[in-house]
Amino acid sequence: MRHAFDIAGSEIELWLAREGAGYRLHRDGGEARVALSAEGGLRQMLTVDGVSEPMLVAIEGELLHVHVGGRSHVIRHLDPARRFADADASGGADMARAPMPGTVVRIDAVLGQAVAVGDPILVIESMKLETTIRAWQDGRIGDIHVSEGQSFDRDAPLVSLTASEA
């Protein structure tokens, strides 16, 4: 499963594959063997292609603060539903689209229900991983485009929200 991150204002897509005791990190145009081990507290040991380096990691909400190699970085995981909703500038900000093919596991909301940012709306499964699609803005459930057990393709509409009236 691809994950998108905002690092210093640039959007980067990565995906991991299990390899022995570690992982293989893929990015368009390259890959590396990586492992991360806890050293205690905020300390971690990052190993990339056999070269290990200590690093400090702190989590603040959806931000990850990383200090490695004498440099500090702020990394933000980009929520797939919010990312795809934001990607459609033609009014699609009210709709969450499927970030990948999958199946609807559970629907936690009903049409017309008021929701606040972060409220769970539905749970999808893709590549054996469950992802909760959460409200990306305050509003009401305008439409649920899928049903429990239904399969969908990448970019399929999942749920629409109508903005709260001020």
Side-chain angles (χ1 to χ4, degrees):
M1 177 175 156
R2 286 178 180 254
H3 293 274
F5 299 90
D6 179 338
I7 303 173
S10 295
E11 186 174 308
I12 297 173
E13 283 194 339
L14 306 170
W15 62 102
L16 286 172
R18 178 71 92 175
E19 183 176 278
Y23 294 92
R24 184 167 290 275
L25 178 67
H26 299 267
R27 181 176 177 200
D28 291 337
E31 63 182 40
R33 289 184 186 156
V34 296
L36 188 63
S37 59
E39 298 288 308
L42 302 177
R43 297 185 184 282
Q44 307 276 322
M45 183 61 69
L46 174 66
T47 303
V48 178
D49 287 333
V51 177
S52 296
E53 186 154 359
M55 68 179 201
L56 298 173
V57 177
I59 298 172
E60 177 188 15
E62 63 180 11
L63 299 178
L64 187 67
H65 299 270
V66 176
H67 184 83
V68 61
R71 297 182 60 197
S72 295
H73 310 274
V74 177
I75 301 169
R76 183 171 61 97
H77 180 255
L78 300 174
D79 178 86
R82 187 181 319 163
R83 184 169 169 240
F84 278 84
D86 292 345
D88 187 354
S90 61
D94 63 344
M95 180 184 299
R97 294 183 173 273
M100 64 210 88
T103 303
V104 177
V105 173
R106 185 178 70 244
I107 298 174
D108 295 328
V110 296
L111 289 178
Q113 178 182 336
V115 292
V117 171
D119 286 350
I121 299 174
L122 55 96
V123 178
I124 61 173
E125 178 184 314
S126 294
M127 300 180 67
K128 300 184 180 180
L129 293 175
E130 287 190 1
T131 302
T132 300
I133 305 298
R134 298 181 181 277
W136 56 93
Q137 64 184 22
D138 294 345
R140 293 193 176 277
I141 303 295
D143 202 355
I144 298 174
H145 305 278
V146 291
S147 58
E148 287 185 9
Q150 180 181 346
S151 297
F152 52 81
D153 291 323
R154 184 178 195 272
D155 205 33
L158 298 175
V159 62
S160 297
L161 293 181
T162 56
S164 294
E165 295 176 21

